[in-house]
Amino acid sequence: MESPYAVELIDVYKSFPGVKALSAVSLAVKAGEVHALLGENGAGKSTLLKILSGVYIPDRGIVKLEGKEIRPASPSHAHHMGISLVHQELQQVPELSVAENLFLAQEIHYPGRIVINRRRSAVLAAELLARIGVTIDARAKIKTLGIAERQMIEIAKALWGKAKVIAFDEPTSSLSKAEVNQLFRVIKELKEKGVGIIYVSHRLEEIGAIADTISILRDGQNIISGPASEFDEARMVKSMVGRDLSSLPQRADIAGNKVAEDSGNRRIVLQARGLTNRRLKDVSFSLYQGEILGVAGLVGSGRTELMRAVYGADEALGKVEILGRDMAKRSPQKSIKAGLGLIPEDRKGQAILRLMSIKNNIVISSLKNAERFGLLSGRKMSQAVAAFFDRLMIRPRDPEMVIANLSGGNQQKAVVARSLLANSSVLIFDEPTRGIDIGAKADIYTLMRELVAQGKSIMMVSSELPEILLMSDRIIVMKEGRITGELSRSEADEERIMQYATGGN
Amino acid sequence: MNVVLKQLKQLGILFALIGIMITFTVLSPVFLTVDNLTNIVVQSSINGIIAVGMTLVIIQGGIDLSVGSLVAVVGVVVTTCMVQGMSVPLAIALGLGIGLLVGGLNGTMISRLGLQPFIVTLGTMSLLRGTALVYSHGDPIFKVSRQFRAIFAGQILGLPGPIFYLILVAAIGMFILNFTRFGVYIKAIGGSEEAARMSGVNVSRYKILTYAICSLFTAVAALVMVGRLGAAEPIAGSGFELDAIAATAVGGTSMSGGKGNVTGTILGALILGALRNGLTLLNVQSFYQVLATGAIILIAVSIDRFAQVKKS
């Protein structure tokens, strides 16, 4: 008997030491449907996907593929059976080419299976890439590509072979709108071919656009499952967080900052003049006290590079003044001392100290203040940190816990706490809500508003235009290493920003 | 809970040491005597002192292969200077100064020029060995004064000198790692260098400092060795870098940086020392001792790895 389901997970349990990740979770994905899987970070979505793709073995429960029970023992085993996972984290070898990465462990050989057929690999890779509509040279090394391009390669990789089920884990978190549309087209094609799609995302508007069925997990348990037509955003959010969070703040709720709009006697807290390096061309801007300055632009337009140059993480010609102090030779250390903090885009690689406790992660930038007689004082450190657990709602409330065990949202809060503890009054948030769940996102937005109300000043880089429009008092738009436009809160809309971000001159 | 796990892990190494000791006690009547146990600690002290510095360097994400050659350079230079009439305090200061200088040089090349620690210290390892050979024309130097020997090999606070310096250096190492800002930075740099830099840690300064301290401790080990032997040799200390790395690894410090502790390293040095001592007592040919040392390193690291996997 043919099963209508491409893949089923029945009554699955999985525990880790001290944590029940999944209990009695079931999920049934039909062939040819897009099944959205929702839940806050830590709800168990990733664990479920990892069980499906053979990374974890469930403690109890059954996995069925087309009605037959299977026991995926490793990702390559799962892949051979027809289950592909598009990872949230990019899992690629930077020194290898696009084609080599696409066919890693499934190389295309000449007969004899010893020598790799490079020419054929390149052709097949190009075909695969063309299928998802990207133009990337298959011979280019991965390390020369941007994050968005690498994400597209991850997707192309899942298409290789005869996938029966493809699971997408937050595939769009670093893609532009055009790329997202491209991805949706590919997903629709796959659907028509009868592939079962599992789609995990925090972007609820995407879910509405693409999902046929929605399942929601909370705290490792099934909460609800049903046709997408029965869900609106409010219901999704409510089911995910378990409380009536009136979704995210709306733009109309945020009046924009009076201080920031009163252009007369505004104090400049950060000024950059003529910043120039490999990725920046003569960039100048000012940040006023008490405002949130949004920095928009496409991926690769130099937004992050500008922030890094200002902060002193990258070298650049030109002048920077922080709170009136001229920063001659810039470094992160000096910037922090002068009152500037940066919350990096790449949380895993550049922000968290993954082996260390939450406490150490928060105090790392202000250890000097935690000393008594030249020695670290455990009590001073704990005292300094304690307040932030309440103020930023960092969970779990265990300062000694290793930060790598936290959800993305809580890690992000700890990184923000680091800058606040260091008394930074000018803060740069680079993609502050990337890959974090909706509850934490709302917390971060509220916090940013609180901070500017207290007289701090913020620059925020974001690829999500709604986020830029929601939060910014003023917006600068970058393109190819230059600032191409500036918009006030009242002038700004998606169309104008995109014009500056893409337009000729 | 984390702390308990950490303790348990260290207890594991302690049990390994106790296991080795029980085995040898059964096999040899001489092993478990005060004299012999003291002997083991004294014999392990030079490796232990160097290994403390090595531990700091490895936690910080580096490696120092030049320590063995540095032992020779400090030994021959200090001894020669004393033979030529330099006062003992000045000679000691000179020896420690050479240590700081070499470490600073290693650290500077690694942090400011961005060279890999393995390659840089491989280079200085040869450079220093060559220096020791050229300086001494390849000959050992004797006639170390009694005053010098008393400072490093005599009784200090009721302890044999080498043991005293081992405890001193270990205490300094633990102190740095657990009670100072510098210690947190060492772990931060070793765990995620880029994140440490973005958090405002002056990465190159603390890298240089870590290598300087490792070489300073190595210089102390060299002085202890000269004190014990009453002579210095330009070929002294060859292979010491490997012993120090072995003690660190057996002690549970992660070779990829970010995690580790001095207590484990000291236990690691004692395990290696007890093993050698016991096998010697049993008249096992030294070739087999080399074999056994290798086996112990692999077993210890496998057990550690196994414990880690179970934990996660």
Side-chain angles (χ1 to χ4, degrees):
Chain A
M1 194 189 77
E2 188 100 328
S3 164
Y5 294 112
V7 73
E8 289 167 275
L9 290 120
I10 303 164
D11 219 18
V12 170
Y13 287 75
K14 177 76 190 171
S15 299
F16 300 103
V19 193
K20 252 193 195 160
L22 294 176
S23 62
V25 170
S26 298
L27 183 77
V29 181
K30 290 191 196 112
E33 78 163 350
V34 175
H35 195 125
L37 185 58
L38 301 183
E40 291 201 277
N41 278 349
K45 299 172 312 236
S46 294
T47 310
L48 200 66
L49 295 188
K50 282 179 176 164
I51 285 175
L52 194 62
S53 61
V55 179
Y56 295 147
I57 312 284
D59 300 339
R60 263 171 66 189
I62 298 171
V63 182
K64 284 186 179 174
L65 183 67
E66 295 181 328
K68 281 191 283 279
E69 184 174 347
I70 55 164
R71 294 171 187 278
S74 70
S76 69
H77 183 210
H79 191 97
H80 275 291
M81 293 189 291
I83 300 174
S84 295
L85 174 60
V86 178
H87 292 271
Q88 179 181 5
E89 290 113 25
L90 303 169
Q91 308 201 330
Q92 292 156 344
V93 188
E95 287 293 335
L96 294 184
S97 74
V98 171
E100 282 165 329
N101 268 283
L102 278 172
F103 303 120
L104 201 59
Q106 313 173 53
E107 285 78 7
I108 316 293
H109 294 94
Y110 284 108
R113 300 198 49 81
I114 293 170
V115 181
I116 289 180
N117 188 338
R118 282 173 182 280
R119 191 178 303 165
R120 181 141 175 73
S121 303
V123 171
L124 287 173
E127 277 174 18
L128 215 48
L129 292 169
R131 213 173 129 196
I132 56 168
V134 289
T135 47
I136 301 171
D137 183 1
R139 289 161 305 181
K141 280 190 180 177
I142 288 289
K143 65 173 181 186
T144 64
L145 305 179
I147 286 197
E149 291 170 318
R150 294 177 57 178
Q151 182 68 64
M152 294 306 272
I153 287 163
E154 201 67 32
I155 292 162
K157 194 171 178 176
L159 299 182
W160 176 243
K162 45 178 186 340
K164 295 168 183 162
V165 176
I166 301 181
F168 293 89
D169 193 358
E170 296 234 31
T172 57
S173 55
S174 54
L175 300 186
S176 73
K177 203 158 188 179
E179 288 161 330
V180 171
N181 288 337
Q182 191 62 39
L183 171 65
F184 283 5
R185 239 199 43 225
V186 174
I187 289 180
K188 283 192 183 121
E189 254 174 51
L190 290 167
K191 211 171 110 168
E192 278 156 24
K193 285 183 188 151
V195 177
I197 311 275
I198 301 174
Y199 191 86
V200 174
S201 174
H202 286 123
R203 296 184 174 177
L204 298 184
E205 70 277 10
E206 282 178 3
I207 305 288
I210 199 167
D212 302 309
T213 311
I214 291 177
S215 287
I216 294 173
L217 290 180
R218 192 196 321 149
D219 300 331
Q221 291 171 323
N222 273 101
I223 292 304
I224 199 167
S225 192
S229 53
E230 292 174 9
F231 288 86
D232 57 10
E233 284 198 15
R235 183 168 176 219
M236 289 188 234
V237 171
K238 194 177 168 188
S239 313
M240 273 159 63
V241 296
R243 58 190 150 121
D244 217 345
L245 187 76
S246 54
S247 148
L248 286 170
Q250 298 298 305
R251 191 167 186 230
D253 303 341
I254 297 172
N257 200 325
K258 288 263 163 53
V259 186
E261 276 167 6
D262 174 21
S263 59
N265 42 7
R266 293 192 297 179
R267 180 172 160 233
I268 293 179
V269 289
L270 176 69
Q271 186 160 46
R273 259 171 293 163
L275 288 181
T276 303
N277 64 17
R278 226 160 40 87
R279 304 289 300 273
L280 299 174
K281 287 158 201 152
D282 191 22
V283 181
S284 305
F285 68 87
S286 302
L287 174 70
Y288 297 96
Q289 182 175 21
E291 74 167 346
I292 297 181
L293 175 60
V295 184
L298 302 178
V299 170
S301 61
R303 299 167 311 180
T304 295
E305 289 76 7
L306 176 59
M307 299 303 118
R308 288 177 57 89
V310 168
Y311 187 59
D314 290 340
E315 285 184 15
L317 297 173
K319 298 193 86 171
V320 172
E321 264 181 40
I322 301 172
L323 298 168
R325 189 192 298 189
D326 185 31
M327 306 299 288
K329 206 165 183 311
R330 293 181 288 277
S331 73
Q333 193 195 5
K334 286 180 183 151
S335 297
I336 291 173
K337 232 183 224 164
L340 173 68
L342 184 143
I343 290 100
E345 160 192 44
D346 178 4
R347 189 159 52 238
K348 225 165 127 193
Q350 300 186 345
I352 62 163
L353 304 157
R354 67 196 162 82
L355 300 174
M356 300 193 123
S357 64
I358 306 174
K359 181 174 85 183
N360 279 351
N361 266 280
I362 296 177
V363 293
I364 186 78
S365 296
S366 7
L367 280 177
K368 247 192 189 143
N369 301 325
E371 286 178 332
R372 271 170 75 103
F373 315 117
L375 305 188
L376 284 183
S377 150
R379 211 180 49 182
K380 272 195 165 182
M381 285 166 73
S382 302
Q383 277 171 357
V385 167
F388 287 103
F389 278 86
D390 293 331
R391 187 167 159 208
L392 305 188
M393 291 181 283
I394 301 172
R395 296 290 176 273
R397 254 203 82 101
D398 175 6
E400 299 302 331
M401 188 172 193
V402 175
I403 196 162
N405 297 335
L406 262 57
S407 69
N410 282 303
Q411 290 179 355
Q412 186 73 324
K413 289 177 185 175
V415 176
V416 176
R418 176 192 295 167
S419 284
L420 295 181
L421 183 61
N423 271 325
S424 302
S425 58
V426 183
L427 292 155
I428 298 175
F429 285 82
D430 195 350
E431 301 284 3
T433 62
R434 168 176 292 171
I436 72 179
D437 61 63
I438 193 158
K441 205 166 173 172
D443 290 347
I444 299 243
Y445 289 160
T446 313
L447 175 73
M448 287 169 79
R449 274 292 154 201
E450 271 173 27
L451 292 173
V452 289
Q454 290 163 12
K456 295 187 190 280
S457 319
I458 291 178
M459 285 186 84
M460 180 189 75
V461 173
S462 176
S463 296
E464 295 190 37
L465 283 183
E467 181 167 282
I468 289 272
L469 290 168
L470 174 73
M471 296 302 296
S472 312
D473 297 312
R474 192 161 62 92
I475 296 164
I476 54 178
V477 187
M478 292 190 70
K479 184 193 163 213
E480 292 168 3
R482 292 178 208 277
I483 293 178
T484 49
E486 181 183 328
L487 296 161
S488 70
R489 185 175 178 84
S490 46
E491 295 170 324
D493 57 32
E494 295 208 10
E495 208 171 314
R496 286 214 176 104
I497 293 176
M498 286 315 286
Q499 243 165 32
Y500 284 129
T502 59
N505 306 315
Chain B
M1 202 182 85
N2 257 329
V3 181
V4 179
L5 274 174
K6 254 184 213 162
Q7 304 275 334
L8 274 177
K9 217 174 112 189
Q10 266 180 29
L11 279 182
I13 308 165
L14 193 60
F15 283 137
L17 179 59
I18 292 170
I20 288 177
M21 289 179 67
I22 291 175
T23 313
F24 284 125
T25 307
V26 172
L27 295 176
S28 158
V30 202
F31 186 82
L32 198 70
T33 56
V34 174
D35 274 357
N36 190 54
L37 293 184
T38 312
N39 215 352
I40 291 176
V41 184
V42 169
Q43 284 166 352
S44 311
S45 62
I46 289 168
N47 182 25
I49 292 170
I50 299 173
V52 171
M54 186 67 80
T55 303
L56 298 184
V57 167
I58 288 176
I59 293 177
Q60 180 252 81
I63 191 100
D64 188 347
L65 301 178
S66 69
V67 290
S69 303
L70 180 59
V71 166
V73 170
V74 171
V76 296
V77 172
V78 167
T79 313
T80 311
C81 287
M82 285 192 297
V83 168
Q84 287 170 354
M86 187 185 274
S87 75
V88 169
L90 200 58
I92 293 172
L94 176 67
L96 299 178
I98 293 173
L100 281 177
L101 184 75
V102 168
L105 207 71
N106 278 336
T108 306
M109 282 192 279
I110 288 160
S111 64
R112 303 255 188 237
L113 304 183
L115 302 176
Q116 294 197 331
F118 190 97
I119 303 301
V120 167
T121 57
L122 187 66
T124 47
M125 171 170 126
S126 259
L127 218 59
L128 292 170
R129 181 66 64 195
T131 307
L133 288 165
V134 170
Y135 187 86
S136 64
H137 308 292
D139 298 327
I141 303 147
F142 303 99
K143 289 191 221 152
V144 173
S145 74
R146 210 180 266 167
Q147 190 196 355
F148 184 90
R149 298 198 62 176
I151 292 174
F152 288 101
Q155 295 279 314
I156 305 170
L157 301 176
L159 290 168
I163 297 183
F164 171 79
Y165 289 105
L166 174 63
I167 293 173
L168 181 70
V169 165
I172 296 174
M174 281 184 221
F175 178 76
I176 291 176
L177 221 43
N178 297 315
F179 298 103
T180 69
R181 193 148 52 93
F182 179 30
V184 178
Y185 291 159
I186 288 178
K187 290 182 210 154
I189 295 170
S192 0
E193 182 170 337
E194 189 54 26
R197 195 168 80 96
M198 293 294 275
S199 313
V201 176
N202 190 336
V203 171
S204 43
R205 178 198 295 166
Y206 291 106
K207 273 192 176 178
I208 294 173
L209 202 54
T210 311
Y211 283 95
I213 286 176
C214 176
S215 297
L216 180 69
F217 288 171
T218 304
V220 172
L223 298 176
V224 171
M225 193 162 147
V226 171
R228 277 192 72 204
L229 303 179
E233 277 186 286
I235 52 161
S238 48
F240 279 18
E241 60 283 342
L242 300 182
D243 288 342
I245 294 168
T248 309
V250 170
T253 292
S254 157
M255 286 292 121
S256 46
K259 288 191 278 204
N261 66 84
V262 169
T263 319
T265 299
I266 298 295
L267 290 174
L270 290 177
I271 286 177
L272 296 174
L275 187 72
R276 274 177 206 167
N277 172 283
L279 292 174
T280 309
L281 288 182
L282 296 179
N283 285 322
V284 175
Q285 206 192 351
S286 68
F287 300 161
Y288 290 98
Q289 293 187 23
V290 179
L291 254 170
T293 308
I296 281 288
I297 294 171
L298 294 180
I299 290 168
V301 180
S302 308
I303 290 173
D304 190 48
R305 173 77 192 150
F306 182 70
Q308 300 254 334
V309 170
K310 264 210 129 163
K311 209 171 84 183
S312 65

